[in-house]
Amino acid sequence: MTALKAIGLMSGTSLDGLDICFAEFWKENSRWNFKVLEAETLPYPKDLETQLRNSIHLSSQDLLTLHSEYGFYLGKAVKNFIKTNQLDEIDLIASHGHTVFHQPQRKFTLQIGDGRAIKAETQIPVIYDFRSQDVLFGGNGAPLVPIGDQLLFSEYDACLNLGGFSNISFIKEHKRIAFDIAPVNIILNKLAENFNQNYDKNGDLARKGNVNVQLLEQLNALDFYAQSNPKSLGIEWCNKNIFPLFPIAENLDLLTTFTEHAAEQISKTINENQLKKVLFTGGGTYNEFLIERIKAKTQSQIIIPETQIIDFKEALIFAFMGVLRRNNEINILASATGSSHDHSSGIIV
């Protein structure tokens, strides 16, 4: 088949910035291949970051306004990216958007950043809102990247992402299953703010503290960890279940304890499923202390790839999901999300 070139846009819950990945995809001997051509992360302007962070509290009218404004921001960002890198022959843009609400049990999820605004700015076909259809089909609307794990990274027993939340995907009983494991950066970044840091670089802050055994036991006892998959997490769950457990006096021990908690939940998942070779990606991969604690708790081989894959794997896979959607091929796996059937999702502009 003819190779397709696509731009993927990803904005995670931890709001590190906008990931833009331009990649080429082609099929050879019925196997998908890819090549990352250009990629970069754009830190958000402070006012936009604040707006996105507080979007969950906006009135409906202000939220709709931000939905449009953020869409135009994405369009302008892509236009500048194309101009700077002198790109041409772009077949489509696939945008994840910024998640404001995620309540699949109530049949809704909302990722803002209107794809029509992106199209208006770039004049390139846009595919967006990949999650809503899955939720309407009875799924969690997450995780979505397992289709890319299966078709682009099949040489690994599992793919594990350390972002705002940790999630994993792997083959079990001939099906690709996937689920969120535990919050990671969405909590650690918030705790690091108490020390005037945007995040705990290398895990250096957590390394200095001590584990609060009582708090660790409370965290590990949360109901979510005993639930069967598929399952997914959102900021609302953290606000309800995690932050109320923290004592008012903020200290390094909270960072140490939550890092240990994340490491315990991640290694437990790896060990229970006997996963031997696990690909780690996402911003949390740079947290050396967290990786050390995970390695100390599992005998599995943890593969940390080149920086481009660590940083842009999710944006790459959303570009790929856009390619699959353009071809009307399955891009969401029911075995991963819990929906009634595999399907091809995304609104095409």
Side-chain angles (χ1 to χ4, degrees):
M1 64 167 286
T2 307
L4 290 172
K5 293 180 179 178
I7 290 176
L9 305 178
M10 180 68 201
S11 170
T13 45
S14 48
L15 286 169
D16 301 336
L18 174 66
D19 292 339
I20 308 181
C21 180
F22 178 52
E24 187 173 18
F25 303 92
W26 70 97
K27 240 178 183 175
E28 199 172 310
N29 299 324
S30 74
R31 180 187 164 92
W32 279 102
N33 296 274
F34 72 91
K35 182 180 181 183
V36 175
L37 302 172
E38 296 288 348
E40 71 173 300
T41 299
L42 298 176
Y44 286 125
K46 195 64 190 170
D47 61 332
L48 178 58
E49 181 193 333
T50 302
Q51 280 184 288
L52 293 172
R53 196 175 298 282
N54 296 329
S55 57
I56 195 170
H57 305 299
L58 292 176
S59 69
S60 55
Q61 290 182 356
D62 288 341
L63 185 58
L64 287 168
T65 301
L66 183 59
H67 178 48
S68 297
E69 288 177 353
Y70 183 52
F72 283 112
Y73 168 83
L74 294 174
K76 288 183 172 72
V78 170
K79 204 157 64 169
N80 289 336
F81 176 76
I82 292 169
K83 185 178 178 182
T84 301
N85 295 291
Q86 298 180 311
L87 307 181
D88 56 11
E89 298 178 3
I90 301 159
D91 293 292
L92 63 94
I93 298 164
S95 177
H96 171 271
H98 173 73
T99 300
V100 180
F101 300 113
H102 183 67
Q103 297 185 35
Q105 69 280 6
R106 297 176 67 187
K107 288 285 189 287
F108 71 84
T109 183
L110 177 66
Q111 287 72 45
I112 60 172
D114 198 323
R116 295 165 297 187
I118 302 173
K119 169 73 189 311
E121 282 289 339
T122 62
Q123 297 305 307
I124 295 168
V126 174
I127 303 174
Y128 72 113
D129 191 10
F130 289 92
R131 298 187 188 273
S132 294
Q133 178 172 285
D134 189 73
V135 169
L136 294 173
F137 287 167
N140 276 281
L144 300 189
V145 295
I147 189 69
D149 295 343
Q150 179 163 302
L151 299 179
L152 302 179
F153 296 95
S154 59
E155 64 267 37
Y156 303 99
D157 293 327
C159 293
L160 194 148
N161 180 64
L162 290 175
F165 301 93
S166 53
N167 51 62
I168 192 168
S169 89
F170 54 92
I171 300 285
K172 186 174 184 178
E173 296 171 359
H174 310 295
K175 286 185 177 179
R176 190 100 199 171
I177 66 164
F179 50 90
D180 285 350
I181 300 174
V184 183
N185 293 338
I186 194 128
I187 305 293
L188 295 179
N189 291 0
K190 188 71 177 171
L191 293 175
E193 288 175 10
N194 297 312
F195 303 92
N196 299 314
Q197 305 288 326
N198 291 328
Y199 63 100
D200 185 6
K201 187 176 182 182
N202 301 324
D204 291 343
L205 292 171
R207 195 186 293 277
K208 295 173 186 172
N210 299 299
V211 172
N212 178 327
V213 177
Q214 184 182 356
L215 175 59
L216 181 62
E217 288 175 353
Q218 286 179 295
L219 289 166
N220 286 332
L222 289 168
D223 290 345
F224 177 82
Y225 302 120
Q227 291 173 17
S228 58
N229 58 69
K231 55 184 179 177
S232 63
L233 290 163
I235 183 62
E236 301 101 313
W237 184 87
C238 296
N239 289 339
K240 182 181 177 183
N241 295 281
I242 300 283
F243 291 111
L245 295 178
F246 293 156
I248 293 171
E250 304 290 358
N251 56 51
L252 284 174
D253 292 352
L254 292 184
L255 267 165
T256 310
T257 304
F258 199 84
T259 301
E260 185 72 8
H261 166 65
E264 285 195 6
Q265 293 301 327
I266 289 164
S267 57
K268 179 183 171 189
T269 298
I270 292 170
N271 294 338
E272 284 181 350
N273 294 285
Q274 301 178 330
L275 303 169
K276 301 301 182 192
K277 190 177 178 184
V278 185
L279 179 71
F280 272 54
T281 56
T285 307
Y286 296 113
N287 186 324
E288 294 172 7
F289 183 57
L290 173 61
I291 297 296
E292 282 174 29
R293 296 308 302 144
I294 295 169
K295 285 182 174 178
K297 298 171 187 295
T298 180
Q299 297 299 308
S300 298
Q301 187 182 2
I302 291 171
I303 310 294
I304 297 179
E306 60 186 295
T307 303
Q308 207 173 48
I309 299 300
I310 291 175
D311 292 343
F312 298 105
K313 176 170 170 278
E314 285 195 292
L316 167 74
I317 289 179
F318 272 95
F320 180 55
M321 289 180 67
V323 167
L324 293 173
R325 178 72 182 102
R326 179 188 183 274
N327 294 346
N328 205 29
E329 295 181 45
I330 287 165
N331 65 1
I332 294 187
L333 299 171
S335 58
T337 67
S339 60
S340 57
H341 57 281
D342 295 345
H343 54 104
S344 187
S345 183
I347 296 171
I348 300 173
V349 187

